[in-house]
Amino acid sequence: MNHLLHTIRRELHRAVDSPRYLLLMTLGIAFSYLFFLTLMQEGQPEELPVAVVDHDGSYLSRRLCHEFNATQGVRVVAVYPTHAEARKAMQRQEIFAFLEIPEQTYSEMLDFKTPHVALYSNNAFLLAGSLSYKTLATMGKLASAAVQREVLRKKGLPDEKIMGLIQPVEFDTHLVSNPTANYQPYVLTTILPGIVALMVLLFTAYEVSREQKERSAQAWLASANGNLLCALAGKLLPYTFWFSLLGVVGNIIFFGPCHYTMLGSFWLLVLAVVLLVLAAQAMGVFLSALLSDMHMAVCLCAIYGALSFSMSGFSYPVTSMPAPLQACSNLFPLRHYYMIYAKTALYGCGWSQCWPHVCALLLFVLAGLMGALLMARQMRREYKGEEGLAV
């Protein structure tokens, strides 16, 4: 214990003497939280620019424009006379979608015919194009149904029969766990802890590799009486506490001022944050031990950390990936953190549902121990004849 405390004091002195890297990591995490929370404070993009190509010039086309502007999702910025002009505006990225209303649309509706209205969306920008398409399609159907209802009322049909003709089957829809379709709790609760884990991974690889690059590994080991595990624990524990604190503060912001859904135990999520930081540190030690060069080790950690966002499953479902990739997703700590978050916060599950992922995060510590063994072997070769190493 005395050697561990001595190593911790040495690391704290090094952090105070050279604080720029830890400060940059901390500022990077704080900036990420501030940026994403302010960027997505509306929950999802609003007032996306769209247009209407009006060949009809009727009451229906004017009502559609009015209905579109009444929603928060889109805003009609132009009414074009031709399809070519609207297409060029979409290519210039001035609009994300447009509705083309052909001639005689309104009169065909009055005659109970089926006019064809074309809807074009720019899915090169997937989120904006999908939201614009969804809003225009929904509001177009509602406006069409409203016109049909008025026509049928003038023909003397009762409202009960009218609704049976317009909507034979009524769907009762429920958005489970995210009733407002807010993108913040869907994206930020995983991507921001993922950024914390990425910073921890890079910082750990840099700090461990720096000891060998600066030829201070002997002094580092001497502070732990030659015990590499004690030396690694003393070096990493201060940063474990600091980055875990940042992750917990981030969750307090999510489930406090931001009022994200929390149906389960907040303390279980706190445990998941601490284990995520420990797992990232363990993988940083393991990847650093694989490559003795500091720059190559940091690059390998950056690639591994970047892949974790795709393999976690919060953006693209793991169940839709090929079977080998589904298995590989378990090799990333962020995947298990995301599963603990979803089961705890969104579904209200307890320890009985989350313990496999907690154990999986603990298994990453074994990778850190393997990295320590590799590192000890390298140091024995490098400092052969010097003071022995104990693992």
Side-chain angles (χ1 to χ4, degrees):
M1 182 60 68
N2 290 333
H3 296 306
L4 177 63
L5 294 175
H6 183 60
T7 309
I8 291 175
R9 284 195 296 269
R10 175 185 179 274
E11 190 60 31
L12 291 175
H13 285 305
R14 285 169 60 88
V16 172
D17 293 338
S18 181
R20 54 181 178 175
Y21 298 108
L22 181 61
L23 182 61
L24 286 175
M25 292 293 178
T26 303
L27 291 178
I29 293 172
F31 175 77
S32 299
Y33 273 81
L34 180 64
F35 174 77
F36 282 105
L37 287 172
T38 54
L39 175 69
M40 305 182 68
Q41 61 182 348
E42 296 176 349
Q44 60 180 338
E46 296 183 355
E47 296 190 353
L48 296 169
V50 298
V52 174
V53 179
D54 188 8
H55 298 292
D56 194 24
S58 62
Y59 160 77
L60 176 63
S61 57
R62 293 191 298 270
R63 176 161 183 169
L64 283 175
C65 291
H66 177 74
E67 295 291 341
F68 294 156
N69 286 325
T71 66
Q72 294 182 341
V74 298
R75 177 170 53 91
V76 179
V77 296
V79 178
Y80 296 105
T82 63
H83 174 91
E85 293 184 22
R87 183 171 179 269
K88 290 180 180 178
M90 181 179 288
Q91 291 174 339
R92 294 193 299 266
Q93 302 176 16
E94 297 175 358
I95 58 175
F96 291 109
F98 67 90
L99 197 72
E100 186 171 8
I101 306 174
E103 296 180 357
Q104 306 299 322
T105 298
Y106 186 54
S107 61
E108 289 182 3
M109 285 187 61
L110 296 179
D111 294 336
F112 294 97
K113 296 180 180 178
T114 307
H116 296 279
V117 178
L119 172 58
Y120 300 87
S121 64
N122 187 358
N123 270 16
F125 304 92
L126 185 59
L127 180 60
S130 299
L131 290 176
S132 300
Y133 169 81
K134 179 181 176 181
T135 303
L136 291 180
T138 302
M139 296 306 299
K141 291 179 181 178
L142 292 176
S144 175
V147 173
Q148 292 179 5
R149 183 183 62 183
E150 295 301 322
V151 172
L152 292 174
R153 278 178 176 173
K154 292 180 179 180
K155 292 182 177 293
L157 294 177
D159 288 345
E160 294 79 6
K161 190 172 183 179
I162 291 175
M163 294 307 298
L165 292 173
I166 295 177
Q167 190 178 16
V169 179
E170 182 178 357
F171 289 93
D172 187 12
T173 59
H174 301 275
L175 299 177
V176 179
S177 301
N178 192 2
T180 59
N182 191 334
Y183 275 82
Q184 273 196 346
Y186 166 67
V187 174
L188 301 189
T189 48
T190 303
I191 194 173
L192 289 177
I195 291 175
V196 174
L198 177 61
M199 296 293 187
V200 172
L201 185 68
L202 296 175
F203 187 76
T204 302
Y206 171 77
E207 281 295 321
V208 172
S209 302
R210 189 170 69 139
E211 294 284 0
Q212 299 188 50
K213 182 181 180 182
E214 297 180 352
R215 310 298 297 177
S216 60
Q218 285 180 290
W220 172 38
L221 291 170
S223 66
N225 196 29
N227 190 311
L228 185 57
L229 285 182
C230 181
L232 282 172
K235 171 175 280 294
L236 299 180
L237 276 177
Y239 307 121
T240 303
F241 173 79
W242 178 245
F243 286 113
S244 297
L245 179 63
L246 293 178
V248 172
V249 169
N251 280 345
I252 291 175
I253 294 174
F254 290 152
F255 304 110
C258 293
H259 303 289
Y260 292 172
T261 301
M262 170 53 74
L263 300 179
S265 172
F266 176 77
W267 296 107
L268 184 55
L269 207 57
V270 170
L271 174 64
V273 170
V274 176
L275 292 178
L276 178 65
V277 172
L278 286 173
Q281 288 181 321
M283 291 305 299
V285 172
F286 177 71
L287 297 177
S288 299
L290 291 179
L291 299 173
S292 57
D293 183 74
M294 182 180 71
H295 301 289
M296 292 298 295
V298 172
C299 290
L300 181 60
C301 289
I303 295 173
Y304 175 81
L307 285 175
S308 66
F309 291 97
S310 299
M311 300 300 292
S312 63
F314 82 95
S315 58
Y316 188 85
V318 172
T319 53
S320 299
M321 298 179 183
L325 292 182
Q326 293 185 32
C328 289
S329 67
N330 294 309
L331 301 178
F332 296 86
L334 188 59
R335 167 64 179 169
H336 302 285
Y337 174 83
Y338 169 66
M339 295 302 297
I340 294 174
Y341 158 73
K343 292 182 178 181
T344 302
L346 302 181
Y347 302 130
C349 299
W351 176 259
S352 61
Q353 296 292 324
C354 297
W355 71 266
H357 302 287
V358 171
C359 294
L361 288 174
L362 288 173
L363 286 177
F364 283 97
V365 179
L366 295 179
L369 295 177
M370 292 176 59
L373 292 173
L374 293 174
M375 197 176 298
R377 184 178 300 175
Q378 294 170 3
M379 288 184 176
R380 284 196 183 99
R381 287 199 301 265
E382 187 173 354
Y383 301 109
K384 188 175 182 180
E386 303 290 337
E387 183 179 358
L389 303 179
V391 178

